[in-house]
Amino acid sequence: MRDPNEEPVSRETAIERFFGDHVELAREYAAILSADGVERGMIGPREVGRLWERHLLNCAAVTPSLVAGDVVADVGSGAGLPGVVWAIARPDVTVTLIEPLLRRTRFLEEVVDRLGLENVTIRRERAEAVDDHFDVVTARAVANLSKLARWCLPLVRVRGGRLLALKGSSAAAEVEKARGVLEELGARSIVVTTYGDGVLEIPTTVVEVLR
Ligand SMILES: C[S@@+](CC[C@H](N)C(=O)[O-])C[C@H]1O[C@@H](n2cnc3c(N)ncnc32)[C@H](O)[C@@H]1O
């Protein structure tokens, strides 16, 4: 938790902290989202002013949790959150974006092409139809945790794979509701963690489930 007497760092410092050598690529992605992303209905026009704090930094804050070589899936990637952000910040992991809507996968293909991301694969599918396993499965703003458990846990590698569900303040309550289904599907531990403490005004809350 951030010390309430301590100021969070500036946006620029946070961007540098989380994106390191890849800041320019992150800025390019932000520019695409703010222009084409809005025009094509991938994000709402009101999000532009809060793109970094609410979206890009919120996603990037979680990347220290990834391990080099991790094979990651982002379920319901939408405009690429968090999957594209993670792929930019962490070229040492590979990311599969799972998104059923054609309009969105077309946008994602263009983003990946324009940014020259070589560590991203796009699959136009619903999570339930995917028959693969990943070291880390993530999802943000896709469904409640009980539904996410059914869609995502079967995709998490058995013995050591993780589900990282990016959630808001409802995380702890969602865990209580979903605990039964998570355990039934093989969860060995369920923890609510925050990322970006001391850096972000609102740290990112993540439900971490170990399979
Ligand atoms: C509200 S958007 C969130 C997009 C992005 N994750 C974000 O944080 O901005 C939810 C996305 O989940 C996708 N989705 C819904 N059901 C899905 C399913 N069963 N499997 C995979 N994606 C799904 C939708 O097409 C949509 O793009």
Side-chain angles (χ1 to χ4, degrees):
M1 270 291 160
R2 187 171 67 84
D3 177 344
N5 299 316
E6 196 187 312
E7 288 289 314
V9 304
S10 72
R11 176 194 287 183
E12 285 309 308
T13 305
I15 293 172
E16 274 167 29
R17 181 92 50 97
F18 293 130
F19 287 101
D21 292 343
H22 314 291
V23 167
E24 286 318 311
L25 215 48
R27 290 195 202 286
E28 223 175 304
Y29 179 42
I32 296 172
L33 285 175
S34 304
D36 286 15
V38 171
E39 204 170 291
R40 291 160 64 172
M42 297 294 139
I43 60 160
R46 275 182 312 171
E47 301 312 310
V48 173
R50 51 192 187 188
L51 196 56
W52 286 101
E53 280 77 10
R54 194 174 165 140
H55 299 286
L56 302 176
L57 292 171
N58 169 272
C59 293
V62 186
T63 54
S65 166
L66 300 175
V67 176
D70 267 348
V71 177
V72 177
D74 176 19
V75 166
S77 196
L81 302 165
V84 169
V85 172
W86 287 15
I88 291 171
R90 293 293 301 266
D92 58 342
V93 306
T94 55
V95 181
T96 297
L97 310 176
I98 299 170
E99 171 54 56
L101 292 188
L102 179 62
R103 196 166 69 77
R104 297 197 171 142
T105 54
R106 281 206 176 124
F107 177 78
L108 290 171
E109 277 159 13
E110 286 173 32
V111 166
V112 166
D113 191 46
R114 284 171 68 176
L115 299 180
L117 294 173
E118 290 180 355
N119 57 338
V120 177
T121 304
I122 297 159
R123 287 175 65 161
R124 188 180 158 219
E125 274 179 288
R126 295 183 69 81
E128 309 90 294
V130 175
D131 185 20
D132 264 324
H133 291 99
F134 302 86
D135 299 313
V136 174
V137 178
T138 187
R140 175 181 183 264
V142 174
N144 67 44
L145 193 60
S146 306
K147 223 183 239 182
L148 277 187
R150 290 195 197 90
W151 292 351
C152 298
L153 263 193
L155 308 185
V156 175
R157 173 169 60 79
V158 180
R159 303 244 39 108
R162 294 181 294 151
L163 168 64
L164 299 180
L166 276 57
K167 287 283 174 189
S169 51
S170 65
E174 286 198 46
V175 166
E176 286 328 305
K177 276 198 189 145
R179 189 176 291 282
V181 61
L182 283 164
E183 286 175 352
E184 212 172 279
L185 289 165
R188 291 192 293 138
S189 85
I190 308 162
V191 180
V192 178
T193 322
T194 55
Y195 288 90
D197 298 272
V199 181
L200 301 182
E201 178 78 46
I202 304 173
T204 310
T205 304
V206 178
V207 179
E208 299 201 26
V209 180
L210 182 69
R211 189 174 184 201

